[in-house]
Amino acid sequence: MTVSVLTADQATPELTAADRCDACGAQAYVRVLLPSGELLFCAHHGRKHAEALGQVATHIHDESDRLFSEPQADQR
């Protein structure tokens, strides 16, 4: 099965602080689309389960690079 890995600039909607990891409740940075629905994971659990998820997912939307980028200035 071929899985598309989508980066933050390729997929919408962006994950927010309200999106929580299905494994531990931390902020989600990875959305995994499955034929039957979706799962959200923190960066840790996204990496931990990446191999298994890659075998069953239709798309993986990974925004974990946001953990290492500079915060955006508030644009008011």
Side-chain angles (χ1 to χ4, degrees), residues 19-39:
D19 294 308
R20 309 313 287 177
C21 176
D22 289 323
C24 69
Q27 183 173 347
Y29 287 94
V30 179
R31 175 182 286 124
V32 180
L33 301 178
L34 304 166
S36 59
E38 75 174 16
L39 293 171

Side-chain angles (χ1 to χ4, degrees), residues 27 29 42-44 47 63-70:
Q27 183 173 347
Y29 287 94
C42 63
H44 164 77
R47 284 190 305 271
E63 296 182 10
S64 59
D65 60 331
R66 291 176 34 211
L67 290 167
F68 305 105
S69 63
E70 293 293 321

